[in-house]
Amino acid sequence: MLMAGPDQAQSLSSLGDVDVDLSRFVLPELLLSVFDWLPQKDLFSAAAVCHRWRALVLAHPNLFYHLALVFDLERDNMREWVPVHQFCAGLRYLRERNLRASVAVDGTKIMRTVEWTHQARTTQLQVSQPTASSMAVMSAIRDALPILTRLELAFGPVHGAILEKSFLSHLCGAAAPQLQTFSIKLNGFPAQRAVLPERLFAGHAPKLWNCSVYGIKVDRPVPALFATTVVVVIMLARSSTVHLTDHFPRVRRLAIGHTNLPMLYSLPKTLRELEFVVYNDVPDLSELLRPLAAVPHVVMTLFARESPSTVDHRSFVSLFGDLKQFTESLYMQLLDKGDPGVTVLTIHNNVVLNKSSFVRTVLFRRYTDDAFRAVLVANLRPLAAHLLDVAVDEHLFDLLPRVFESLPSTRRLHVYWHPPRSTQMPRVHAGDKRMYCPKLRQLHLAALMTSGPPVEVNAERLQRAIRPGSFSVLQQFTRVQLNRLLVQIPGNGDFTVMDSDEGRRAYIDYDEDCNLVAVMYQVGLEREVDNDLLKGYLARP
């Protein structure tokens, strides 16, 4: 049974209390000409207006249907063939009626054991092999290319020659005039990589704007990709003669695997987002990154695969361009991605990340603690004067005093605690260095958990790392509690740890469960305060 892709949207807004339904007098041809310009979600809205509109929408070619298929050779052949037969019949039904289709085929489970001989060594490998059912599916997709709006294909490890001959060749048999999104993914590491065919979609896919290619080489211009504006390609030819403008002349968002950085210089000036991988053995990294500073959003993965001594001086400050351009302050996040071997540094110029016009994200993979700290010191200290807001994971918190001797402009510091059973360990143990934050106004401690008791935080650890200025600091707690009180000293405002704050004037706020959520000690309130919650406390009698 064919099923429409998205859920049915809500009906259009009422046009008011009208005695006569004027839409009945609109000719069907006029309605259809309007529907031609509507995306699918708006077609669903139009279908809810009345029975007449619904009948026109359901027969409209822009209303596409989603068909998905997963191959699995562990199933009985008869059980496998039934859904394959239904899948092909569904595509044929839509093609005969010129309706639109979204197709997803997962062939990663078509695995057979084969023997591969390389340099006099014979190895047994689990690789994907073409079957009669998979060939039937690819033939059905080839015939349906003119009506497809989305095509997603996934394969297990396939020898390059087999993938090109038995699978990719079917994608060259017809144009894809309606295709908007195309994704092809090759899992595993086959003996030989396949190359994306130059005659993909017969060289014609004028509406294709989003393309993702994983595990397959793109070593020549493919005309079907010339209209794409969002491109993810992991394997690209590294020849110095390759010009990306020949491959993707209209690209605005590009994600690419390891490549020669000078190859990226030929990108059009309209490029808005760029993502790439750099290994630590690349010489003169700072100079190679300098031309890429003009791209507003950059995501760079630094991959350490050699000894720590070779990465001590990895510099990417040039990726920020001229630091004098930051008349507005920057926001920094130093967080983990869930994988103990991956740490993410993000710096942007707006408190809301997705509204920032300037974003730099650096992913550190397989860095030792010493090498990681050395790279942060070399690259973040020049930015210290521009950082207004800093957020850090708890096990990375003790790195801050070793990276920054001072954060002269920072107003807010956020520290996030993971659940108590988390396996994440501190990247460096607390020491005697303290980070001077003369303009600090807010210290926010939050637990990344939604249930269970609050996480207990060691107040002495905070005091040993942070030295505030003479201003009162608002301490906020979200599902955390201090084991002792972090009190500010009147006069200089420095933190001290105490069991009681008796005799000190404090502004305190509790939640409905009587848990302490905010506290601020009066040490320098005569100065101007720009925190809304702080202003609320000061307004109290």
Side-chain angles (χ1 to χ4, degrees):
M1 179 179 179
L2 299 179
M3 298 183 63
D7 295 330
Q8 180 172 318
Q10 296 180 353
S11 60
L12 294 173
S13 300
S14 174
L15 297 178
D17 297 331
V18 182
D19 295 332
V20 181
D21 183 7
L22 299 179
S23 66
R24 293 185 303 167
F25 300 99
V26 180
L27 294 176
E29 294 81 3
L30 181 58
L31 286 174
L32 288 174
S33 65
V34 173
F35 291 166
D36 286 341
W37 294 91
L38 296 181
Q40 184 175 164
K41 63 178 182 179
D42 293 333
L43 279 176
F44 275 103
S45 297
V49 173
C50 62
H51 291 293
R52 180 169 175 253
W53 283 32
R54 178 177 177 81
L56 291 172
V57 166
L58 292 181
H60 197 276
N62 282 0
L63 187 69
F64 69 79
Y65 295 82
H66 182 71
L67 295 91
L69 180 66
V70 177
F71 285 107
D72 190 348
L73 283 188
E74 294 180 357
R75 300 180 182 178
D76 180 78
N77 287 337
M78 290 302 295
R79 293 181 181 178
E80 178 192 353
W81 179 254
V82 171
V84 169
H85 176 72
Q86 292 176 348
F87 176 88
C88 297
L91 270 182
R92 183 170 60 253
Y93 174 88
L94 297 175
R95 174 168 52 86
E96 292 173 351
R97 287 158 179 78
N98 194 29
L99 298 175
R100 303 293 174 255
S102 169
V103 170
V105 176
D106 185 352
T108 56
K109 296 183 179 181
I110 308 180
M111 308 293 288
R112 295 187 187 276
T113 301
V114 299
E115 290 188 351
W116 173 51
T117 302
H118 178 64
Q119 294 181 352
R121 295 181 61 184
T122 301
T123 307
Q124 285 191 341
L125 300 175
Q126 285 281 334
V127 299
S128 295
Q129 293 287 314
T131 62
S133 56
S134 63
M135 291 300 94
V137 168
M138 293 306 301
S139 297
I141 291 176
R142 177 197 59 206
D143 297 337
L145 283 177
I147 67 165
L148 297 186
T149 61
R150 186 184 188 96
L151 178 59
E152 298 179 359
L153 301 174
F155 303 96
V158 187
H159 191 277
I162 296 177
L163 183 63
E164 293 176 7
K165 180 179 179 180
S166 302
F167 295 98
L168 297 184
S169 61
H170 289 83
L171 303 180
C172 303
Q178 305 299 330
L179 192 65
Q180 300 177 22
T181 301
F182 172 60
S183 173
I184 183 168
K185 185 174 184 178
L186 182 66
N187 294 315
F189 299 93
Q192 177 187 348
R193 292 289 185 183
V195 177
L196 198 67
E198 186 176 5
R199 291 294 300 165
L200 181 71
F201 306 132
H204 186 69
K207 295 183 180 181
L208 181 59
W209 66 274
N210 191 326
C211 176
S212 300
V213 181
Y214 296 89
I216 300 175
K217 290 183 180 180
V218 182
D219 65 353
R220 72 196 77 175
V222 179
L225 306 184
F226 286 174
T228 53
T229 58
V230 179
V231 178
V232 177
V233 54
I234 303 303
M235 301 184 67
L236 191 68
R238 301 182 186 178
S239 171
S240 59
T241 60
V242 172
H243 297 283
L244 288 182
T245 50
D246 297 334
H247 285 72
F248 316 112
R250 298 178 60 183
V251 64
R252 291 179 62 84
R253 296 170 55 190
L254 173 65
I256 194 170
H258 179 50
T259 186
N260 294 328
L261 291 178
M263 185 186 300
L264 303 176
Y265 301 163
S266 62
L267 292 170
K269 294 181 180 180
T270 57
L271 187 69
R272 306 300 300 171
E273 298 182 24
L274 174 62
E275 182 175 348
F276 58 94
V277 178
V278 176
Y279 290 100
N280 64 308
D281 55 355
V282 176
D284 302 323
L285 180 61
S286 181
E287 290 303 315
L288 290 173
L289 293 176
R290 194 177 305 279
L292 303 179
V295 181
H297 290 207
V298 176
V299 178
M300 177 178 63
T301 298
L302 287 178
F303 206 111
R305 60 182 181 184
E306 294 187 4
S307 60
S309 61
T310 62
V311 298
D312 284 350
H313 303 290
R314 294 286 88 186
S315 175
F316 52 82
V317 176
S318 59
L319 197 58
F320 293 86
D322 186 1
L323 295 180
K324 295 180 180 179
Q325 66 176 309
F326 298 117
T327 54
E328 55 195 85
S329 298
L330 297 176
Y331 301 81
M332 186 188 88
Q333 299 175 351
L334 187 61
L335 310 172
D336 264 339
K337 211 177 180 183
D339 183 346
V342 181
T343 304
V344 183
L345 168 70
T346 304
I347 297 177
H348 49 100
N349 65 347
N350 191 295
V351 64
V352 181
L353 178 59
N354 59 9
K355 293 184 179 180
S356 295
S357 59
F358 177 91
V359 179
R360 294 292 181 263
T361 301
V362 183
L363 285 77
F364 299 89
R365 290 185 177 273
R366 299 185 182 179
Y367 270 67
T368 64
D369 291 350
D370 291 340
F372 179 59
R373 182 169 63 252
V375 173
L376 290 185
V377 169
N379 291 278
L380 294 187
R381 280 189 178 177
L383 302 175
H386 304 277
L387 295 177
L388 175 68
D389 195 295
V390 175
V392 62
D393 273 344
E394 173 266 339
H395 72 286
L396 298 169
F397 171 71
D398 292 317
L399 273 173
L400 293 183
R402 285 154 177 76
V403 175
F404 301 106
E405 296 178 353
S406 171
L407 287 175
S409 302
T410 300
R411 301 292 185 92
R412 293 176 292 273
L413 176 61
H414 311 267
V415 186
Y416 300 113
W417 262 259
H418 291 267
R421 295 183 180 179
S422 174
T423 58
Q424 293 167 320
M425 300 297 293
R427 298 296 292 265
V428 62
H429 294 287
D432 56 356
K433 289 189 176 182
R434 301 183 72 194
M435 180 175 59
Y436 183 46
C437 305
K439 295 185 179 180
L440 185 65
R441 297 292 196 281
Q442 180 182 356
L443 175 62
H444 180 211
L445 311 176
L448 299 177
M449 51 189 291
T450 58
S451 60
V455 176
E456 185 174 273
V457 175
N458 189 334
E460 292 183 353
R461 181 183 177 191
L462 298 174
Q463 187 271 336
R464 286 196 302 264
I466 307 170
R467 182 165 66 93
S470 58
F471 299 98
S472 296
V473 176
L474 175 66
Q475 303 174 40
Q476 291 181 277
F477 314 104
T478 304
R479 300 198 60 78
V480 302
Q481 62 182 14
L482 293 177
N483 63 338
R484 298 177 68 188
L485 297 175
L486 191 63
V487 182
Q488 284 188 268
I489 302 173
N492 62 15
D494 197 2
F495 284 138
T496 185
V497 176
M498 305 177 65
D499 294 320
S500 172
D501 58 359
E502 185 177 355
R504 300 177 186 272
R505 184 178 179 184
Y507 297 89
I508 303 175
D509 190 28
Y510 296 91
D511 62 13
E512 57 186 11
D513 296 324
C514 296
N515 295 316
L516 180 66
V517 294
V519 61
M520 181 192 66
Y521 295 94
Q522 182 177 355
V523 297
L525 300 184
E526 69 280 3
R527 308 251 182 152
E528 181 182 355
V529 178
D530 61 353
N531 183 282
D532 292 337
L533 184 56
L534 209 63
K535 289 179 180 179
Y537 288 147
L538 296 179
R540 293 180 180 180

